[in-house]
Amino acid sequence: MLAQIAIGTVIISATIFIEVLCFQWAIRVMKGYGHRYLASSHTLHQVIVLTGTTLWLLFALSLSIWIWAFAFWGLGAFASLEQAVYFSMVAFTTLGFGDVVLPQNWRLLSGIIAANGLLLFGLNTAFLLEILHRIFLRTK
């Protein structure tokens, strides 16, 4: 049990670190290039900023899912990488079909990955809302 909690803590820490790095990169791009688009009242420019930011955040979430999948596969929880990726995606998004499950000796990690997904989706939502807020402030 303690091993699962320790492994889950390390993986959550890694995914949060990656997410924050992606936020920082997005902020740098916005400061360097995005200010022209953020200051613009053109709808197309606003759509470009929101679409680009959303796709970048989706990429960051995908990295987290892949990290979990490789961890599950490396721990021997799944026979194939495809099963590990599928389970990671379903658990991370808290969809939880239940057709592919962790073996009993690793099942605590299923709750940890779900908590990780909830946390990162919340962070991404907050980031996107901040971008929307800045767009609307500049277009008034």
Side-chain angles (χ1 to χ4, degrees), residues 116-137:
N116 191 194
L118 285 170
L119 178 65
L120 293 186
F121 278 108
L123 283 172
N124 283 348
T125 301
F127 192 81
L128 283 173
L129 285 173
E130 180 62 24
I131 298 299
L132 278 169
H133 179 73
R134 288 175 187 258
I135 287 172
F136 289 127
L137 280 179

Side-chain angles (χ1 to χ4, degrees), residues 4-22:
Q4 291 180 68
I5 293 170
I7 290 168
T9 300
V10 168
I11 296 171
I12 283 179
S13 298
T15 61
I16 291 170
F17 182 77
I18 289 169
E19 194 78 18
V20 171
L21 282 178
C22 288

Side-chain angles (χ1 to χ4, degrees), residues 19 22-23 52-62 124 127-128:
E19 194 78 18
C22 288
F23 286 174
T53 304
T54 303
L55 290 174
W56 181 247
L57 295 177
L58 182 61
F59 170 75
L61 288 172
S62 297
N124 283 348
F127 192 81
L128 283 173

Side-chain angles (χ1 to χ4, degrees), residues 50-115:
L50 286 173
T51 301
T53 304
T54 303
L55 290 174
W56 181 247
L57 295 177
L58 182 61
F59 170 75
L61 288 172
S62 297
L63 285 177
S64 297
I65 290 167
W66 278 98
I67 287 169
W68 276 101
F70 279 115
F72 289 136
W73 192 45
L75 291 169
F78 296 106
S80 72
L81 183 57
E82 186 275 333
Q83 280 183 317
V85 171
Y86 175 78
F87 177 81
S88 295
M89 177 92 57
V90 170
F92 195 84
T93 60
T94 68
L95 185 58
F97 281 134
D99 54 342
V100 176
V101 295
L102 286 171
Q104 186 173 357
N105 59 327
W106 293 114
R107 68 181 176 182
L108 276 180
L109 289 176
S110 62
I112 295 172
I113 187 175

